[in-house]
Amino acid sequence: MLTGIAEAEEFREYIARWVDERFIPVAEEIDVAGEFPRELAKELGELGYIGTMYPESAGGSGLDNPNLCFAILNEELARGSVGFAAWICMQGSTATHTIYEWGNDHLRKNYFEPALKGDKICAFAITEPNAGSDAASLRTKAVKVDGGWVINGSKVFTSNGTVSDFITVVASTDLSLGAKALELFIVDKEFEGFSVSRKLDKMSVRSSDTAALSFDEMFVPDNHMLSSETGNGFRNAYRSLTVDRIFTAALAVGNARAAYDAARQYAQEREQFGQPIGRFQAIEHRLVDMYANVETAAMHTYHAAKLADQGEDITIEAALAKLVASEKGREVCHDAVTIYGGWGLMNEYPVQRYLRDSYFPMVGGGTPEIMRKIIARKAAR
Ligand SMILES: Cc1cc2nc3c(=O)[nH]c(=O)nc-3n(C[C@H](O)[C@H](O)[C@H](O)COP(=O)(O)OP(=O)(O)OC[C@H]3O[C@@H](n4cnc5c(N)ncnc54)[C@H](O)[C@@H]3O)c2cc1C
């Protein structure tokens, strides 16, 4: 649990109190409803948490260790619910990072700043029905016209998709050029031609809104294009998605911690054969393995976050953190359900939700196979 950095430990104390008092009591209800809790998002904006990653000059928190603190924010929120935590992962990082890095004053004032306050909700859309792991093969097309661009295409699995006020959309200016022709556009939900095709129902992270989007002859003005026309849009998107993997790893850590805490308590309370089941060595060892997995996941995550704070290249470490944390996290959740016996399958205990939610950090931001593909550049060649 310790990070050895005083700022991050103090940061954790505050957000952990909010999670325990305000969030955990309603987490189950939010999951069952399958609705994004906008009022809680607004509250976190008012408390200043959405701006954890950014300097004070941009309206952010001005922390010395922004990546580590943002990882802790994601972890602590995920102790309550990965679904809601997945929202801040997007809102406080990928979907705002693009404007912070490559946006003009108009975009910063009208989109970035309201997003940090929780007044506007945002999303990042690269995945398409036929372009997932191979994101660069996307088919959404942007054609230059007088004063802007006309975009046609569709996106799928967009987190915050139905509740977003604006979306960073990745589109191609020349389908024959692949990744080289990808650019980023800020799409306002009020733009003509933009529509939500459907809200997707899912078994995991139910309180995270997920949608399919459609763009039909949608005009996007020139000042809503993020990158230059030289074709560095994919590099920019890749940079945002790379750092985001640390925070997705943190979601897995928080979820696994919640599962471990619940199983440990249950093992002390549940009696069979005249004693608490936690006194049987088989259960004790399972709990030790769970603890080891949680700490391993946390250490990889904090290590990658600290490297990001030092300005190091984190391509490998972020992928490693996400791979280890998501796979270990899923094991921990599986063990928790096992320790609960029959009650582990019942909806009245949260361990079934922890197991369902443990699948999201494995897929969001790239699957384990894709993480291994990235890490292989260092570890297997
Ligand atoms: C709940 C949820 C929220 C999401 N939020 C967003 C979002 O906000 N924005 C966004 O743009 N996207 C989002 N995604 C999309 C996510 O990033 C993709 O689902 C993911 O990258 C995998 O793409 P795919 O689902 O098309 O699977 P595919 O790419 O079709 O993969 C299917 C299987 O093939 C394997 N595979 C593919 N290529 C290889 C390879 N080269 N080597 C070995 N195995 C391979 C995969 O690992 C996987 O097991 C979200 C997804 C989910 C489920």
Side-chain angles (χ1 to χ4, degrees):
M1 174 80 84
L2 290 181
T3 59
I5 292 180
E7 180 188 63
E9 281 156 20
E10 195 182 337
F11 181 90
R12 186 194 294 278
E13 253 182 65
Y14 283 110
I15 185 61
R17 199 172 311 145
W18 187 88
V19 169
D20 288 334
E21 290 171 6
R22 288 279 298 126
F23 187 37
I24 288 181
V26 295
E28 194 65 32
E29 188 185 319
I30 288 169
D31 184 70
V32 171
E35 294 290 338
F36 169 65
R38 198 164 186 139
E39 64 296 345
L40 285 180
K42 176 77 185 134
E43 194 174 321
L44 279 181
E46 281 163 4
L47 291 169
Y49 283 113
I50 303 173
T52 300
M53 285 281 282
Y54 302 106
E56 269 178 286
S57 56
S61 308
L63 297 169
D64 292 334
N65 306 278
N67 289 279
L68 182 57
C69 289
F70 194 66
I72 287 170
L73 176 63
N74 280 269
E75 177 190 334
E76 286 299 322
L77 288 175
R79 264 197 316 115
S81 160
V82 183
F84 181 60
W87 159 75
I88 206 151
C89 188
M90 183 55 72
Q91 176 104 6
S93 174
T94 323
T96 42
H97 180 250
T98 49
I99 300 185
Y100 173 69
E101 288 282 354
W102 306 291
N104 54 35
D105 287 348
H106 161 73
L107 295 174
R108 280 188 172 215
K109 185 166 173 293
N110 293 293
Y111 295 95
F112 178 80
E113 289 172 17
L116 291 204
K117 291 184 191 138
D119 289 336
K120 282 192 174 173
I121 304 297
C122 48
F124 179 94
I126 185 166
T127 307
E128 298 184 359
N130 292 314
S133 300
D134 182 14
S137 68
L138 62 83
R139 307 305 291 170
T140 293
K141 195 173 173 194
V143 175
K144 187 76 188 95
V145 293
D146 207 18
W149 298 80
V150 170
I151 298 185
N152 281 290
S154 63
K155 298 288 174 184
V156 76
F157 299 150
T158 309
S159 297
N160 308 336
T162 79
V163 294
S164 271
D165 297 287
F166 68 94
I167 299 141
T168 304
V169 170
V170 188
S172 171
T173 56
D174 185 341
L175 293 174
S176 67
L177 293 178
K180 289 196 195 107
L182 299 186
E183 299 286 356
L184 308 182
F185 299 88
I186 299 299
V187 169
D188 193 301
K189 70 165 186 193
E190 300 300 336
F191 283 175
E192 210 168 311
F194 169 80
S195 65
V196 174
S197 316
R198 67 187 173 112
K199 178 174 169 162
L200 299 165
D201 193 16
K202 55 195 185 310
M203 66 90 168
S204 184
V205 288
R206 289 184 49 75
S207 58
S208 171
D209 181 85
T210 312
L213 309 176
S214 163
F215 319 120
D216 181 14
E217 295 293 311
M218 177 179 69
F219 176 76
V220 177
D222 277 328
N223 64 355
H224 278 237
M225 183 181 192
L226 281 182
S227 47
S228 73
E229 288 174 49
T230 55
N232 62 3
F234 190 63
R235 255 201 337 255
N236 293 350
Y238 193 80
R239 268 177 62 190
S240 293
L241 290 169
T242 296
V243 71
D244 191 55
R245 290 188 181 125
I246 301 172
F247 312 129
T248 308
L251 299 179
V253 175
N255 190 46
R257 232 185 252 297
Y260 164 70
D261 288 345
R264 187 179 170 195
Q265 191 181 336
Y266 188 80
Q268 285 166 12
E269 290 165 2
R270 171 73 174 169
E271 294 196 358
Q272 287 295 281
F273 300 97
Q275 65 177 51
I277 58 168
R279 294 225 192 110
F280 298 119
Q281 198 177 48
I283 300 285
E284 205 170 53
H285 283 188
R286 197 184 278 273
L287 283 166
V288 170
D289 290 349
M290 291 166 76
Y291 176 72
N293 278 339
V294 173
E295 291 306 312
T296 304
M299 279 174 198
H300 276 280
T301 305
Y302 303 154
H303 175 63
K306 285 177 189 171
L307 287 179
D309 282 332
Q310 288 159 13
E312 302 284 335
D313 180 350
I314 43 115
T315 311
I316 301 293
E317 281 74 13
L320 191 58
K322 193 173 111 66
L323 177 69
V324 172
S326 64
E327 292 197 337
K328 298 286 178 205
R330 189 176 47 101
E331 265 178 67
V332 170
C333 295
H334 165 83
D335 285 344
V337 169
T338 307
I339 287 177
Y340 269 71
W343 291 110
L345 283 63
M346 300 298 134
N347 283 340
E348 59 204 82
Y349 285 101
V351 283
Q352 45 75 31
R353 170 163 59 90
Y354 302 146
L355 182 61
R356 286 190 282 109
D357 286 0
S358 71
Y359 283 89
F360 170 71
M362 298 184 76
V363 179
T367 63
E369 288 73 26
I370 298 304
M371 294 308 104
R372 286 190 168 86
K373 197 159 131 47
I374 294 167
I375 299 162
R377 284 180 220 153
K378 180 178 178 178
R381 280 173 205 158

